[in-house]
Amino acid sequence: MATAKIKKTYQKPKGTFDILPEDQKYWEKVRKVFKHIALGYGFDRIDTPIFEHADLFGTSAGETSDIVEKQMYVFKSKGGDMLALRPEGTPGVMRAFMENGLFNMPSPAKLYYLGPFFRYEQPQAGRYRQFHQAGLEVIGDKDPIYDAQVINMLVIAAEELGLKNLNIEINSIGCNKCRPAFRTQLVRYYRARAAKLCKDCKRRLKENPMRLLDCKEEKCEQLKAHAPNLIDHLCEECHDHFKCVLEYLDELEVPYSLNSHLVRGLDYYTKTVFELFLEDEHVEGGSEKTHQRSRLALGGGGRYDNLSKMLGGRDVPAMGAGVGMERIIGIMKRQSIKVAPLWKPDVFLVQLGVLGKKKCLKLFEELRKAGIATGEAFGKDSIQAQLRSADRAGVKLSLILGQKEAIDGVVIVRDMESGSQEAIAMEKVVKIIKDKLKK
Ligand code: HAM
């Protein structure tokens, strides 16, 4: 029996997206600003694999963290290794630091990266399954000055991109010395109110009580308001560290708000944690427009002095941050931030006839080598159609080369605004065009 052919059309997987040509200018801009800032602060680029051994993330972020428990793409390789698509950058960078002996770099190692990350989340605005982060890690120094500097770098990057209405929320979640006593108090507070907790928080109470402070459920938010504050329980070292970070931020005039409930969802953090929020009011909807107040985390990070030891290495204090590139670009569009196109032709080549077309091909190379952005419509034969394309491209000048011009060794230069035309000798055309464009 003949099987009917099924015509299959493919669609991208849920939570992913294509970055189409029209959007590339935003991506280039964000990458460029971030790289420029990273280099300005003496950061070196690092690229780590997109997949790692799955337990690298389990050991660092914590087996009960949302990222590891619910969001990791884990797969078994043909060789039997359990691998995971990286859900975030910090563990891979720390692994690379230790594995490659980057202890020998001038200390601290200041590293930055840009690339894709993967989390199996319920997709919604600003939340994807494949997303991109720009990250910074300062490895090998415990001085609070780096906490302030990294926070400042994120703020500067966002400002340089033209984003408005930014706010840093900051907290200290202490260290292994002060956290246990606080955890006991927290558990006591929540145990007395366990019946009112959401299902996830009932579990968190047993597995990882610090994360109770992270819950966004309405009923848990209410309980959180009166929960004990870690800030009041910091040991002397953590207290002094946090005080210094805030003083450095004041010195840099970075605005921030203290948020004693900010804990972040990853086990490796110690002392300073922070998030960069964008809070604004914007209009949404089609015919029925509504004003929406929104609060979006553009980035976040903190100190992770214990991570190297959690991964079985020596004691290496560290601090870092990551920003979500999709979210930044989404806001740039929403705030109508202008970004120059990546390429815009200065001149347009118009050809006619076999010989004209041949000479145009050569002229195109000469113009390109001279750094003159040149548009063309080589596939079109009609002069009118080519001039219309030139008009649409918004060029100042068109260069017309037909059979006769090719034989005479000249090019006709047409001023697109006035319509005036002049013939220029072929060998002088690059220089003359350059001069004309400068004017
Ligand atoms: P994170 O807060 O999990 O931190 O992610 C940083 C940023 O990545 C978020 O603020 C958000 O803008 C963006 N992001 C996270 N998940 C998604 C998603 N599903 N879709 C779109 N954007 C997303 C970290 O990843 C830490 N590694 C940051 C760090 C570096 N801490 C120390 N060093």
Side-chain angles (χ1 to χ4, degrees), residues 258-318:
L258 298 175
N259 176 353
S260 58
H261 294 140
L262 184 72
V263 286
R264 302 202 22 91
L266 304 161
D267 273 3
Y268 53 65
Y269 286 119
T270 46
K271 296 188 173 138
T272 317
V273 288
F274 73 95
E275 281 192 46
L276 171 65
F277 283 101
L278 186 129
E279 290 171 30
D280 67 354
E281 211 164 84
H282 62 280
V283 180
E284 246 178 34
S287 52
E288 301 212 347
K289 298 204 183 321
T290 51
H291 279 266
Q292 300 283 332
R293 249 209 99 61
S294 70
R295 187 177 130 87
L296 186 68
L298 295 186
R303 185 157 274 288
Y304 48 97
D305 293 345
N306 294 340
L307 179 58
S308 63
K309 279 184 286 173
M310 288 161 83
L311 297 178
R314 60 169 102 157
D315 194 0
V316 187

Side-chain angles (χ1 to χ4, degrees), residues 88 90 119 121 126 128 133 137 264 269 297-299 320-321 324 327:
E88 54 135 346
T90 311
R119 294 184 193 175
E121 303 201 67
Y128 304 98
Q133 268 189 16
E137 313 291 354
R264 302 202 22 91
Y269 286 119
L298 295 186
R327 293 193 187 178

Side-chain angles (χ1 to χ4, degrees), residues 25-91:
K25 61 181 179 189
Y26 293 100
W27 287 84
E28 271 307 307
K29 175 83 184 175
V30 173
R31 283 193 280 259
K32 202 167 145 194
V33 164
F34 193 80
K35 278 186 197 172
H36 178 73
I37 289 173
L39 292 175
Y41 283 78
F43 280 61
D44 287 306
R45 174 133 184 175
I46 186 159
D47 288 293
T48 59
I50 279 170
F51 56 88
E52 298 265 2
H53 289 285
D55 61 357
L56 172 73
F57 302 107
T59 310
S60 45
E63 293 295 347
T64 60
S65 64
D66 279 358
I67 284 188
V68 171
E69 204 174 52
K70 301 182 190 160
Q71 299 173 347
M72 261 201 333
Y73 283 91
V74 181
F75 59 97
K76 199 171 186 175
S77 73
K78 285 192 175 147
D81 293 327
M82 286 311 286
L83 301 172
L85 295 182
R86 59 184 189 182
E88 54 135 346
T90 311

